[in-house]
Amino acid sequence: MLNISHISKQYANHQALTDICLHVNRGGMHGLLGPNGAGKTTLIRIINGIISSDSGSVSIEGQPLSPQIIRSLGYLPEERGLYRKMRVADQAVYLARLRGMSRADAQRELTWWMRRFDMTGWENKRIDQLSKGMAQKVQFVISILHRPSLVILDEPFSGFDPINVEEIRQAITDLNREGTTFILSTHDMSQVEQLCTTISLIHRSRIVLDGRIDDIRRQHATHRFRLRCPDEIRALPQGVSLSAHHQDRGVHTYELQKAPEMTHNQLIELLLPTCTILSFEEIMPGMHDIFIQTVADLS
Amino acid sequence: MLSLIIRHEYLTRVRKLSFWLVALLTPLAFVAIAALPTLIMSIGGSNRLVLICDESGLYADSLMLMNGQSECTYARATEPFAALTLHNTWPDDDVDAILHIDRDLTLGGQAVLYGQKQPDMNIKTTVGSQLSEVVRGQRLAAYDLPQVGQIIRDSRLQVDLATRRIDQQQSEGYESEIATLLSLLMSIIIYMFIFLYGNQVMTSVMEEKQTRVVETIVSCVRPTDLMAGKIIAIGLTGLTQIALWLLLGGSLIGVLNLSGSLIPSSGGLHALISLLTGSQFAGLTALFLLFFILGYIIYASLLGAVGSLFENQQESQQFMIPIMIPILFSMYAAMYASSNPDAALSVWCSIIPLTSPIVMLARAVYGVDTWQLVLCIALLCLTAWGSVWVAGRIYRNNILNYGKKGSWKRLLDSIRSR
């Protein structure tokens, strides 16, 4: 779907992006992560054709970026903003028409989304008559109104209350299920884990981590396991150390650390003689921890 | 896309109440400004009572014969001046002034006008001129010449000097006053247009940057298209405004049938109307539109570029001043050029691109050498292209730079970078 090849961008005295390569599959949900100032917004603006790169190329469905392709994208910028004195319907239709949609189609889609988000009647309100959250919801609708095949959302959940976060998250999931490809730039790691299948972590202008979330978490596995059993373990097997232990209503929960070379089955075999296993699971690192660890290691 | 932007920007503006208020009220304001002096002058002052203490006995009767000819009504004092103003008291509140003439004015006598307060200019002028007329009349009578009054009236002949271009002896040339008026009018309209609508471009760009809506728009249209669309749409709004003004102004003048005194020429309104319908006016109109468009493009694009550097107008002042100075200077130069069309200052200011849109029009009415006109238009076209190019770069490189202070360094960097 989206192929970014060796993109670099330098501002006056600042290298914003260095040799960025990225691939997002059709129908994928890709998280674009990175600390503030890493270069995410610059990359998003290059994909949107807002600024040009110094070198490298961007293609969508095998086609190099062109005004037609750029218009077909959906984009929710981090810096939200609409015309304050303009009616919701007027600007939604105007912006959809700028993206190549007909007036009638835009109006029909707007009505559909207003109904879905329980916003019927808002069309005739001016933006300055809406709360900040309401205006952001309108802007989300505007970014997907023309049914784009690739949508780039920069911090889509910021400024929303939990109910609206859930509504937006559900809308993204539904559209993704229907085949829309998403790129999500966000600092909300729980949303990344819930929604995204692949991620790229940009740090100091370079991609430092890239791939499927499951693979990345596995790569960053800390070899820690959670074991629940009714008995207290008197002695841990060799090669296994205790990280934490607590007891609740007769059930003991152990967090164990195994040696890296030990396999899961070997660990279970070693534990079987020591207790009756109620449950056994690997403690996988969260994206939050991976993000912090990776950035800290590189800093 | 460009047409969509133009349409949106244009309709957004012409649908505003303020657009129609300005469109409807400006011709009224112009007519009011033009008519106000005449109206004020036509308001008669209240009747003023002037007591005459004429110790010479030569002037009081003649002055009293003039009662009814002006706002001053003369009455002879019943007491001598000294008794009348004993202890510096004022005889009667109904009396506005006392004219004291001590003796024959032709023999060194003195006339003094006293008031309870300092007498105003109006009463001084009226009494002074009427007293002068009386003295003059008495002197002429003393010569005892037959028909002396008629001879003097006949000698006051005023020659109406017509002005024509040598190549337009047979055709309808412009009278100097009308030419000056017309050239100034056109220059003022261009000046106002550039000032008002150039500023609108700047504030509109700033507003889009401040509200951040610009990022949503430039993700589907090129930044330069957005700026071009804005400049064209605001330009069209201005042209619509002017068309409405002309329509309404014309109708108003027609309906009110204002007196010729509103137009500072002997021909008055009729001369202006015949001029506006003359064949030469078509050429001038074409020039007016050309300078109008080119001048507007230059200044609007530069002001648009300044708008892209800032998020509010206060911060932009340091960049506005260098752009506004040539516009303001142009207006003064145009005033000078309308009276001195071939002076060196007028010629140079009508060729230098930043002043030429306003100044050349002030000269064009009188006729300008073809080479000067061609050079002026060529330089204007080049400058318009250059300013659009520079403004496009500044706009593109700064419109998404939020929260950064505009500086000359940033401005130059953004022109240099791709």
Side-chain angles (χ1 to χ4, degrees), chain B residues 45-87:
Chain B
S46 56
N47 203 21
R48 323 283 286 268
L49 179 61
V50 180
L51 277 185
I52 306 171
C53 295
D54 181 10
E55 291 174 25
S56 69
L58 295 171
Y59 309 107
D61 291 339
S62 303
L63 278 171
M64 284 165 68
L65 283 174
M66 289 180 164
N67 281 348
Q69 291 177 16
S70 71
E71 66 192 66
C72 291
T73 303
Y74 299 99
R76 198 192 301 272
T78 50
E79 294 173 79
F81 182 69
L84 200 66
T85 57
L86 194 66
H87 307 305

Side-chain angles (χ1 to χ4, degrees), chain B residues 158-175:
Chain B
Q158 193 147 11
V159 177
D160 192 6
L161 182 65
T163 52
R164 291 277 188 281
R165 277 171 58 166
I166 192 71
D167 55 346
Q168 290 170 350
Q169 291 181 53
Q170 301 306 317
S171 64
E172 84 282 18
Y174 297 150
E175 288 293 341

Side-chain angles (χ1 to χ4, degrees), chain B residues 10 14 19 193 197 200 232-245 292 296:
Chain B
Y10 178 77
V14 297
F19 173 85
F193 188 87
Y197 292 98
Q200 270 200 27
I232 294 168
I234 293 176
L236 288 174
T237 311
L239 286 172
T240 310
Q241 190 92 277
I242 287 169
L244 282 169
W245 289 351
F292 202 72
Y296 168 73

